[in-house]
């Protein structure tokens, strides 16, 4: 049985509804009170991917997809692991500096490494739940029918819109949500860039996704000083460079033959 990316997206949103409703009651994540219960919807993409993979390829397909989450090609440079892990901390340092220059009183982060490790573990598991679906299942199907740019843009927009309900439930302003959604789309371009550069490694996508959430949680007090406009402004530069460099090298503007 063949399935389309549209079936996957519909299923992801359907599976997320119970978590939207749970979060609307004011329930928060145990151990992470700064996160609404809707954070559990992070497993919806994986569940949707596994269900559809089972329909397409049975149990063997499920095993292959699950193994891919932690696989990294032997011929791939470990340098890309460092890029995936260090990229977002560098972005956060730049944001810290810009906010200070703008006159914002942003405290210096005091990181408790035990807490940071627990956060990393939790976000890593959550990132597997997302990227097995977004990058492991949806992106290859989008790529079969359109360009790298088109596939990334579609996936980035849907990934961003998927977060709207939780942000509304958290009381975020329209401006905050708008800039954060734009930043989310930009981050998907970076994830896809890493994914393609590492021989389609879901592990690298998972590590980068983990660091997105970890740096937010530690910047510097559970995301309380995070400024989505400044973040998007900073991300616009590397994303523009990625798009420019991809075009001649990676069939950025061409559909697969």
């Amino acid at each position: 049985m063949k399935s389309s990316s549209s079936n996957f997206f519909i299923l992801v949103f359907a599976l997320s509804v119970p978590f939207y409703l749970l979060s609307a009651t004011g329930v928060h994540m145990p151990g992470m009170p700064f996160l609404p219960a809707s954070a559990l919807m992070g497993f919806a993409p994986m569940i949707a991917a596994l269900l559809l993979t089972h329909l397409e390829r049975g149990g063997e397909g499920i095993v292959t997809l699950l193994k891919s989450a932690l696989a990294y090609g032997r011929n791939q440079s470990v340098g890309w692991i460092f890029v995936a892990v260090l990229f977002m901390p560098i972005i956060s340092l730049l944001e810290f500096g810009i906010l200070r220059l703008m006159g914002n009183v942003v405290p210096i982060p005091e990181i408790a490494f035990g807490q940071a490790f627990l956060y990393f573990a939790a976000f890593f598991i959550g990132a597997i739940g997302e990227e097995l679906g977004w990058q492991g299942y949806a992106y290859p199907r989008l790529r079969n029918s359109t360009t790298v740019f088109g596939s990334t843009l579609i996936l980035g927009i849907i990934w961003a819109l998927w977060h709207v309900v939780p942000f509304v439930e958290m009381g975020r302003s329209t401006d905050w949500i708008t800039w954060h959604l734009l930043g989310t789309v930009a981050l998907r371009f970076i994830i896809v860039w890493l994914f393609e550069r590492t021989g389609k490694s879901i592990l690298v996508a998972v590590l980068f996704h983990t660091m997105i959430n970890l740096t937010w949680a530690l910047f510097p007090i559970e995301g309380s000083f995070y400024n989505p406009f400044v973040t998007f402004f900073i991300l616009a530069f590397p994303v523009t460079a990625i798009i420019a460099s991809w075009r001649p090298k990676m069939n950025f503007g061409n559909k697969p033959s």
Side-chain angles (χ1 to χ4, degrees):
M1 174 183 175
K2 292 185 178 180
S3 182
S4 67
S5 55
S6 59
N7 291 336
F8 169 79
F9 296 136
I10 291 170
L11 187 54
V12 167
F13 277 89
L15 290 169
S16 301
V17 169
F19 300 109
Y20 292 154
L21 296 176
L22 179 63
S23 185
T25 66
V27 177
H28 288 75
M29 290 287 291
M32 291 183 171
F34 55 92
L35 288 177
S38 54
L40 290 170
M41 75 183 191
F43 294 101
M46 180 180 71
I47 294 170
L50 293 176
L51 288 172
L52 294 173
T53 298
H54 179 70
L55 292 175
E56 297 164 16
R57 295 185 289 151
E60 184 178 348
I62 288 178
V63 171
T64 300
L65 181 60
L66 288 173
K67 284 183 177 179
S68 68
L70 300 177
Y72 191 71
R74 293 181 180 178
N75 297 325
Q76 299 301 325
S77 168
V78 294
W80 290 109
I81 297 289
F82 288 102
V83 173
V85 171
L86 297 177
F87 190 97
M88 287 310 298
I90 292 172
I91 296 298
S92 290
L93 286 173
L94 291 171
E95 182 176 356
F96 176 85
I98 290 173
L99 289 176
R100 280 288 188 95
L101 288 173
M102 293 170 61
N104 293 278
V105 182
V106 184
I108 296 175
E110 297 181 4
I111 299 174
F113 288 97
Q115 183 185 46
F117 177 79
L118 292 176
Y119 282 178
F120 178 89
F123 288 135
F124 183 81
I125 293 170
I128 291 175
E130 287 202 44
E131 294 306 329
L132 269 180
W134 300 127
Q135 209 57 47
Y137 185 91
Y139 175 76
R141 283 156 181 77
L142 287 169
R143 184 67 184 101
N144 283 336
S145 59
T146 187
T147 64
V148 173
F149 180 86
S151 302
T152 307
L153 184 61
I154 292 169
L155 187 58
I157 290 173
I158 293 174
W159 184 41
L161 293 177
W162 181 61
H163 289 86
V164 169
V165 172
F167 291 148
V168 171
E169 291 175 337
M170 292 168 68
R172 300 297 188 184
S173 68
T174 301
D175 285 347
W176 190 100
I177 292 174
T178 300
W179 287 113
H180 184 80
L181 296 187
L182 290 172
T184 299
V185 175
L187 288 169
R188 182 53 58 180
F189 273 91
I190 299 170
I191 291 175
V192 172
W193 173 66
L194 289 169
F195 178 77
E196 293 284 2
R197 285 291 189 179
T198 54
K200 297 178 172 51
S201 170
I202 296 175
L203 174 60
V204 169
V206 167
L207 285 171
F208 184 81
H209 194 139
T210 300
M211 295 307 297
I212 293 172
N213 293 327
L214 181 63
T215 52
W216 169 81
L218 299 177
F219 179 68
I221 304 172
E222 298 173 349
S224 54
F225 289 88
Y226 165 70
N227 185 310
F229 170 74
V230 174
T231 301
F232 175 73
F233 174 79
I234 298 170
L235 288 173
F237 292 95
V239 169
T240 300
I242 286 170
I243 293 173
S245 65
W246 257 356
R247 194 169 185 86
K249 296 179 181 178
M250 298 181 61
N251 290 324
F252 194 81
N254 302 319
K255 295 181 182 180
S257 56

